[in-house]
Amino acid sequence: MPDMQHLNDLVIQVRRDILRQVHKVNSGHPGGSLGCTEFFVALFQELMERKEGFNMDGKGEDIFFLSNGHISPVFYSVLARSGYFPVEELNTFRLLNSRLQGHPTTHEGLPGIRIASGSLGQGISVAIGAAHSKKLNNDSHHVYTLCGDGELQEGQNWEAIMYAAGNKVDNLIVTVDYNGQQIDGSTDNVLPLGNLKGKFEAFGWDVMEIEQGNNMEAIMNGMKTAKSKTGKGKPVCVLLHTVMGNGVDFMMHTHDWHGKAPNDEQLEIALSQNPVTLGDY
Amino acid sequence: MKKYIDSGKKDTRSGFGAGLTELGKTHPNVVALCADLTGSLKMDDFKANHPERFFQVGIAEANMMGIAAGLTIGGKIPFTGTFANFSTGRVYDQIRQSIAYSHKNVKICASHAGLTLGEDGATHQILEDIGLMKMLPGMTVINTCDYNQTKAATIAIADHHGPVYLRFGRPKVANFTPENQSFEIGKAVQLQDGNDVTIIATGHLVWEALQAAETLNEQGISADVINIHTIKPLDAQAILKSVKKTGCVVTAEEHNYLGGLGESVARVLAQNNPTPQEIVATQDTFGESGTPEQLMEKYGLNATAITKAALKVMTRK
């Protein structure tokens, strides 16, 4: 049984990391990061079978790709707190000569990162390639990827979605951060995604929804179900209903904090809503 | 003067196909991807011999580049195959982020480059791809001249770790370089030794450069002819050594003069040894329909154009 208290403590600490990272450099993307905090913690702490240390090839372990690279603050925090690099390095987020670039990259050799992302719509394709590679290597582990819902407006996704079903890439679990928000407003206002579940299904995917995408138990149960659906000839899609900015009341249910950092006063309020658990970096 | 014999016209894309067939036998980690152009890219043999290592992605080049990047994770060496236009311009951002910036070991193999694609016209005749690809940090750019060299290059790039753009073409052209040659990435090939003018050519223009050198020789002019199959990294040493002898240079390529081999050579010369240069290339234009020969004539990309440029550049010494 997972230690739920520890996981929830970690979630709060990761929220603090996200807020402090973006505040320090007055830039970055807190909204989507906060919305996916529980998912990242669950994935890296409980769901993925990971090896000690970092090897680019990821043989014999589950691997993860972040397609919507702008939510790097949550990725970096969870990687650091999962042992990939020292948590103190979160202090260097977006600074000159840092390995923690604005968007994730392999270029600086940061452990845990297997592909650069930021220009949207490319993660599912990359994950498919890695999934093929696993099968060729007789490696029964899984490939996970997370993409944004607004990101699905990029056409390359649908090339990849068509391909994965057509080629029975069934060791792949794609999670969509379904928060309904993007930079210019709600996805409904910018470019409606329509019936997303129906679209994935029509393309031949096994689709499931996690209605409470910010609830640790719901995520764990849902993602375990998703894993049980692999190996059956279909790629698996999880529509993870999240709240952008989750855990900070004034950042929730709006696209305003997609790519904006809190000022000193706002940071103080946000941190007070998430008191220290495991210790700040 | 060395004599080069055409052993029989062959297309460079078939050299790629033959190289890939070899790699199928020798390199178990080589995999191939194609975007609905398996026959055109001559990938049929590899597909038949290794169906589990061949990925038909359909008409979806962006996805192909991403899948190729992902396949490297786990140790595969992916070779993508489609036309040069769809291998570069159409998927530039995918190559930039998922392959070049991520330093993935992907070999982007591009056929039907340049005007010699012929009748399909400008939509398919990319003349900007060398420029696009050489600007990407860490990308190796190779443009081979005949069947034998294309086969050798295809085999060689499998053992080079890092992203490579391999450019070749559609028409049957003279096959004059040695069979089973060794191919050294970044190393120019000296084809003729001369003292009056340097001719540096790449791709289909190498054979034309040799023909031009013969014409010049008949006029008592000795041309130093260099085959630059690797445009990046460029063999600056070979270029500088040659112009030191000759004092002037003609570059020749089936590409726009902006962004191509000519500009790369000009940069080396400007920084090290400013030298008069003429550039045989297309003049910032799109192509059009026609036979390869007609197009190369109309756009000034043949032995006649190289000879003319050589005579002109010698007056500028």
Side-chain angles (χ1 to χ4, degrees), chain B residues 16-27:
Chain B
F16 164 69
L20 197 60
T21 299
E22 281 298 306
L23 288 172
K25 296 176 204 155
T26 57
H27 287 61

Side-chain angles (χ1 to χ4, degrees), chain A residues 110-127:
Chain A
L110 187 68
I113 312 287
R114 291 194 165 85
I115 197 80
S117 61
S119 176
L120 294 172
Q122 303 185 30
I124 301 178
S125 300
V126 173

Side-chain angles (χ1 to χ4, degrees), chain A:
Chain A
M1 272 297 287
D3 180 349
M4 295 306 285
Q5 181 61 46
H6 173 73
L7 294 179
N8 288 326
D9 284 351
L10 189 51
V11 164
I12 291 169
Q13 195 59 51
V14 170
R15 283 186 199 142
R16 291 181 65 88
D17 290 351
I18 293 165
L19 293 160
R20 293 175 67 234
Q21 283 177 83
V22 299
H23 170 263
K24 180 177 175 184
V25 290
N26 193 26
S27 71
H29 299 80
S33 294
L34 289 165
C36 290
T37 299
E38 293 85 355
F39 173 77
F40 270 88
V41 168
L43 196 66
F44 278 83
Q45 294 290 311
E46 292 293 333
L47 297 165
M48 285 203 297
E49 287 175 29
R50 298 184 293 115
K51 281 184 173 173
E52 278 295 305
F54 176 69
N55 180 296
M56 177 58 81
D57 279 340
K59 287 180 182 169
E61 62 180 328
D62 292 341
I63 60 175
F64 170 77
F65 297 98
L66 178 65
S67 190
N68 48 333
H70 56 274
I71 66 166
S72 56
V74 65
F75 196 14
Y76 294 151
S77 168
V78 172
L79 283 177
R81 291 188 181 275
S82 301
Y84 285 94
F85 56 87
V87 287
E88 295 73 37
E89 202 167 339
L90 296 175
N91 259 318
T92 70
F93 175 62
R94 285 184 172 237
L95 295 181
L96 192 65
N97 301 321
S98 172
R99 298 197 293 179
L100 279 59
Q101 292 289 296
H103 293 80
T105 173
T106 59
H107 201 254
E108 321 298 331
L110 187 68
I113 312 287
R114 291 194 165 85
I115 197 80
S117 61
S119 176
L120 294 172
Q122 303 185 30
I124 301 178
S125 300
V126 173
I128 290 169
H132 273 324
S133 198
K134 284 217 174 293
K135 287 197 176 188
L136 286 169
N137 290 334
N138 295 314
D139 179 349
S140 60
H141 286 83
H142 293 85
V143 177
Y144 290 88
T145 186
L146 177 71
C147 58
D149 50 0
E151 181 181 10
L152 294 174
Q153 290 157 0
E154 291 281 5
Q156 184 184 345
N157 290 302
W158 299 97
E159 295 181 2
I161 291 164
M162 184 183 291
Y163 177 94
N167 290 277
K168 301 184 169 52
V169 185
D170 60 1
N171 53 345
L172 170 69
I173 301 174
V174 171
T175 301
V176 178
D177 177 16
Y178 206 0
N179 62 23
Q181 306 288 340
Q182 57 189 111
I183 296 177
D184 276 356
S186 73
T187 51
D188 279 347
N189 283 331
V190 177
L191 180 62
L193 303 171
N195 179 358
L196 205 49
K197 185 164 188 277
K199 283 179 180 168
F200 269 95
E201 281 172 347
F203 274 75
W205 285 55
D206 197 341
V207 190
M208 53 170 287
E209 303 203 52
I210 298 178
E211 299 289 347
Q212 290 181 290
N214 295 108
N215 177 296
M216 186 58 76
E217 254 180 72
I219 294 169
M220 299 261 255
N221 291 334
M223 291 305 290
K224 278 175 192 163
T225 305
K227 194 173 168 181
S228 74
K229 290 172 178 289
T230 59
K232 293 176 180 167
K234 286 184 175 187
V236 177
C237 170
V238 177
L239 299 178
L240 184 74
H241 294 261
T242 65
V243 174
M244 206 176 195
N246 187 59
V248 177
D249 59 7
F250 61 89
M251 291 185 176
M252 291 169 72
H253 304 288
T254 169
H255 63 271
D256 290 349
W257 295 89
H258 167 88
K260 190 174 79 171
N263 62 27
D264 293 352
E265 194 186 337
Q266 289 161 334
L267 177 72
E268 203 176 319
I269 297 165
L271 291 179
S272 74
Q273 294 172 11
N274 293 279
V276 180
T277 55
L278 305 174
D280 288 336
Y281 58 81

